[in-house]
Amino acid sequence: MTSPLAALPPVSAALPSATAALMNVGPKPPIVFVAGRGSRVVDDTGRSYLDFVQGWAVNTLGHAAPEMIDALTRQASTLINCSPTFYNTPQLSLAGKLAAASGLDRVFFANSGAEANEGAIKLARKWGGLHRDGAHEIITFWNGFHGRTLATMSASGKAQWDGLFEPRVPGFPKALLNDIASVERLISDKTVAVMLEPIQGEAGVVPAEDGFLRDLRALTRQNNMLLILDEVQTGMGRTGTMFGFQHAGITPDMVTLAKGLGGGVPISALLAAEAVSVFEPGDQGGTYGGNPLMTAVGEAIFDTVAAPGFLDHVAAAGAHLEQRLYEVAAQTVGGGAVRGRGLLLALDLGRDIGPAVVAAALKRGLLINSPRPHLLRFMPALNVTLAEVDEMAEGLTAALLDVLAAKA
Ligand SMILES: *Cc1c(COP(=O)(O)O)cnc(C)c1O
């Protein structure tokens, strides 16, 4: 695959001055991507990279997936937007499929993970107003991540955000993941819900144990509280089941989806049980939510992930990746720990060389990510091949050896 711009002078040659019109919200390497297919992405000099970041766990089927191109072009030439005040066909059918697959009843579509979570927070507060005498506090967790709106930042447990954009939105006391007593201690008359990720992604792939999720389900039922799962990162097959909560055999009262739902295009969803779906006309909305173009893509992704054998592949590829990561760690840093499930895995290196390894891997044409200095995160396309996993493991081994040699 060559870059469609290969004949032109690369834009990256004009960096950093070409970035002058962008707000700087984070450091970026001097690379400009122009094309992608499957697990490969190409920059404007024609260089190809093996992509195990995939738009931040977004590109469910990799780059330029034929299923997505087909849905996008078909729907773009049929109907792109008809306003949220009217029904449209793909919106109705995707809602039906998500409800049936999740065991929940009602769906509200939005455009980003933060917006879906914001909707969940609003719905919980509304339900608390109607059924729990105004209870409105939602217990969330240290190191959790729920997005970048004001409320979802407050719901998140990122210590780095302390003091940012004050005052915070009140009503989000923080418990410790996998510590049920820490949750019990925070429960009061004001508590309406508990909200968490089945695997804390941005925290460095820290799983909520299946037993902990079952304990939370029981605890929230006993106290007439809602259980809200943020499956923005874990949903849509990422962990080897359609939803992360299915590993624990529970059904939450609300689930939020985003990243993998659109396979790369912006769409998110809030799913809720019938008894919790208490929004009244005017309470909630959004201009782009549930538009035909994005829901048509969401349906194509859903159908592909739900097809026979697809999730078996995710589980098998995840098991292979896990084994290869243990081998890589043994051959380089003298062993490491692998965490996560399916194709959301992290390798704990036991030392703070994550960012250096990411940079060395990039030089070798491999995209990976380091959410915490001591670990690496892997979130390839769900249709990644075992050969691509092997190729990644080889590139990672070389990158680790580069870093260790530079330190020696
Ligand atoms: C990425 C993420 C979000 C935020 O999603 P955006 O689309 O960036 O708003 C929320 N929760 C979790 C668990 C995420 O991984």
Side-chain angles (χ1 to χ4, degrees), residues 269-355:
L270 162 61
L271 282 50
E274 184 67 34
V276 180
S277 300
V278 292
F279 281 144
E280 292 168 276
D283 284 352
Q284 180 68 332
T287 306
Y288 293 107
N291 70 77
L293 189 64
M294 297 299 113
T295 48
V297 178
E299 189 174 8
I301 299 288
F302 180 93
D303 289 344
T304 307
V305 174
F310 189 91
L311 290 171
D312 296 335
H313 170 78
V314 176
H320 187 64
L321 175 58
E322 180 176 354
Q323 187 207 327
R324 293 307 313 257
L325 290 176
Y326 276 116
E327 288 166 16
V328 169
Q331 287 159 13
T332 54
V333 289
V338 181
R339 287 202 300 264
R341 224 164 200 166
L343 286 171
L344 179 59
L345 295 179
L347 172 62
D348 192 331
L349 298 162
R351 61 193 86 179
D352 288 355
I353 56 174

Side-chain angles (χ1 to χ4, degrees), residues 141-182:
F141 291 81
W142 288 114
N143 299 316
F145 179 76
H146 300 294
R148 294 172 177 281
T149 61
L150 286 172
T152 55
M153 282 184 80
S154 295
S156 301
K158 280 180 82 135
Q160 305 96 295
W161 283 353
D162 275 356
L164 196 60
F165 311 132
E166 295 282 318
R168 297 171 69 91
V169 175
F172 298 99
K174 299 283 177 305
L176 293 168
L177 195 70
N178 295 323
D179 180 344
I180 196 76
S182 77

Side-chain angles (χ1 to χ4, degrees), residues 60-100:
T60 309
L61 306 179
H63 295 282
E67 299 89 338
M68 284 184 74
I69 295 172
D70 179 55
L72 277 166
T73 49
R74 203 169 13 90
Q75 193 61 44
S77 58
T78 309
L79 181 67
I80 290 179
N81 205 323
C82 58
S83 128
T85 54
F86 301 101
Y87 297 117
N88 69 72
T89 331
Q91 168 194 60
L92 296 172
S93 67
L94 179 58
K97 288 176 181 184
L98 290 174

Side-chain angles (χ1 to χ4, degrees), residues 56-58 111-117 144-149 152 156 195-202 230-234 256 258-259 267-268 377:
W56 221 254
V58 164
N111 313 284
S112 68
E115 204 187 343
N117 285 335
F145 179 76
H146 300 294
R148 294 172 177 281
T149 61
T152 55
S156 301
M195 176 170 174
L196 77 164
E197 303 152 85
I199 299 176
Q200 290 186 335
E202 301 312 301
D230 176 349
E231 295 239 20
V232 167
Q233 193 158 148
T234 52
T256 56
K259 294 195 166 82
I267 176 175
S268 65
R377 179 171 48 170

Side-chain angles (χ1 to χ4, degrees), residues 123-141:
L123 189 57
R125 286 186 174 193
K126 173 94 190 189
W127 182 86
L130 291 171
H131 298 294
R132 286 283 321 281
D133 207 16
H136 61 275
E137 283 189 359
I138 301 176
I139 298 172
T140 58
F141 291 81

